[in-house]
Amino acid sequence: MPRRSHGPRLSEFLDALQARGRYTFERSEALAELRSSSEALEVAARRLASKGRLAVPRRGFYVIVPVEYRSSGAPPVDWFIDDLMRFEGRPYYVALLSAAALHGAAHHQPQEFQVITDAPLRPTTAGRGRLRFFTKLALAGTPVLEVRTQTGTMRVSTPEATALDLVRYARWCGQLGNVATVLADLAEKLGPDRLVSACRISAELANAQRLGWLLDKGGEARVARPLADWVAARHPRVVKLDSAKARGDGQADPRWRVVANAEVEVDR
C-alpha cells in the first residue's frame, strides 16, 4: 500500500490561500506545506490544472483560478504579474499597449499583456492570457507608477514613459500608424514637462524626435512644444521616422528633423 502524505491535500492548500486573498504560490512553498515529494506535487497540480483550478505560466509558479475565471483558464494577468516577476527575480514594469490601456488609451484592446524587464524572458500564457516580455537595459531610470490591482499592486510606466516606449517598440505595437493613434488617445494624460523629463532620462534623442513628430501628426503640437524646445537645443541629426525603411526622397521636418519615410494615419 502506498505511503500516505501526512500533510494537507493540494486542493485544501489552495482553499487556504484563497481564504487569505492569495492567488499564487511557488513550488517550494507548496512542498513545505504539503510535506510531499516534487513528483506528487506535479501529479496533483496537473490534476487540478485539468479541472481548471490552476494555471501554470512558469514551471514552479502556480496561479489559482477562482470560479468566475474558470472559463478563461486564469484570472487577469494583473492579479499575478508582480508575483510572477518576483519569482523570476527580475525588475519590471507593465508597458506599451498594456500600460496605455491602463492610462485610458484603449483605442484597440491589446491582444497580449506587455511587460518590459532587464533580461530576455520567453513569452508565456495563463489560460487565454498571453504575456510578452521586452528587454531594456536602462530599466531602473524609467518613471513608473504603483497601480493597485485586485490582489496588490503592480508597476506601470507613466503616461510619458509609455509614450516614448511605444515609439521605441513600434513594430510590436501595430507599427507607427497604430502608435500614432494610441498617442492621440494618450495625449490628454501627458504632462509636457514630464514628457521632456522622460526623454532626458532615456537619453534616446532620436526616439524623442520621432515621438514629437507623431504627436504633431495627431494634432498635439501644444503638448509637444516643450519637447520641441528640448530637442532643438541638442541640435539633433536628421533621423528617419521608420528606422527599418530606406530614407526615400523626403525632406526633414524642420521642427523635429525627422524624414517621414512611412505613411502614418491617425485613426480617430
Side-chain angles (χ1 to χ4, degrees):
M1 177 179 294
R3 184 170 58 88
R4 295 177 57 87
S5 169
H6 297 290
R9 295 184 304 168
L10 182 57
S11 60
E12 295 169 347
F13 176 59
L14 267 57
D15 290 341
L17 289 179
Q18 275 192 266
R20 303 203 305 268
R22 282 189 53 192
Y23 289 87
T24 69
F25 63 94
E26 298 180 18
R27 178 194 286 118
S28 58
E29 179 184 7
L31 289 175
E33 182 69 24
L34 301 174
R35 289 171 284 170
S36 67
S37 67
S38 293
E39 293 78 8
L41 174 61
E42 289 296 324
V43 170
R46 283 197 299 271
R47 182 170 62 249
L48 291 181
S50 70
K51 295 179 179 180
R53 288 205 65 190
L54 276 182
V56 190
R58 283 285 193 259
R59 184 176 176 84
F61 179 85
Y62 304 91
V63 178
I64 301 170
V65 185
V67 172
E68 62 270 29
Y69 289 107
R70 297 279 166 84
S71 62
S72 56
V77 178
D78 59 21
W79 284 36
F80 60 85
I81 185 61
D82 197 68
D83 288 345
L84 175 60
M85 297 310 291
R86 190 176 300 113
F87 171 77
E88 296 280 11
R90 304 250 61 94
Y92 81 98
Y93 60 87
V94 180
L96 304 172
L97 296 175
S98 297
L102 290 166
H103 292 309
H107 194 84
H108 299 292
Q109 191 64 26
Q111 299 300 305
E112 59 187 16
F113 198 85
Q114 297 175 322
V115 175
I116 289 181
T117 184
D118 66 345
L121 289 177
R122 291 179 291 105
T124 189
T125 59
R128 296 178 186 169
R130 178 175 174 81
L131 289 80
R132 182 178 291 274
F133 301 94
F134 301 86
T135 305
K136 179 195 281 188
L137 296 180
L139 184 78
T142 302
V144 299
L145 303 169
E146 291 285 340
V147 174
R148 291 198 62 79
T149 69
Q150 183 75 18
T151 56
T153 62
M154 62 181 176
R155 293 167 59 83
V156 180
S157 56
T158 64
E160 297 77 21
T162 300
L164 188 59
D165 279 341
L166 285 167
V167 175
R168 184 183 191 194
Y169 299 93
R171 62 176 291 196
W172 292 280
C173 299
Q175 301 297 341
L176 287 168
N178 190 57
V179 168
T181 297
V182 175
L183 288 174
D185 290 345
L186 190 62
E188 65 180 31
K189 299 290 182 69
L190 299 177
D193 292 336
R194 293 194 302 270
L195 191 61
V196 172
S197 178
C199 290
R200 181 186 297 114
I201 290 169
S202 74
E204 295 180 43
L205 181 56
N207 283 328
Q209 292 168 250
R210 297 180 180 108
L211 172 58
W213 189 96
L214 290 168
L215 287 170
D216 275 3
K217 179 71 173 180
E220 302 296 339
R222 180 194 59 80
V223 172
R225 189 173 299 120
L227 181 60
D229 294 339
W230 180 80
V231 166
R234 276 142 189 83
H235 308 289
R237 63 181 180 85
V238 172
V239 298
K240 298 180 294 183
L241 180 61
D242 188 334
S243 61
K245 293 184 177 180
R247 170 170 171 159
D249 299 325
Q251 296 297 309
D253 175 273
R255 188 180 197 198
W256 301 104
R257 294 182 61 76
V258 170
V259 174
N261 65 331
E263 290 291 331
V264 174
E265 294 294 333
V266 179
D267 184 9
R268 295 291 187 178

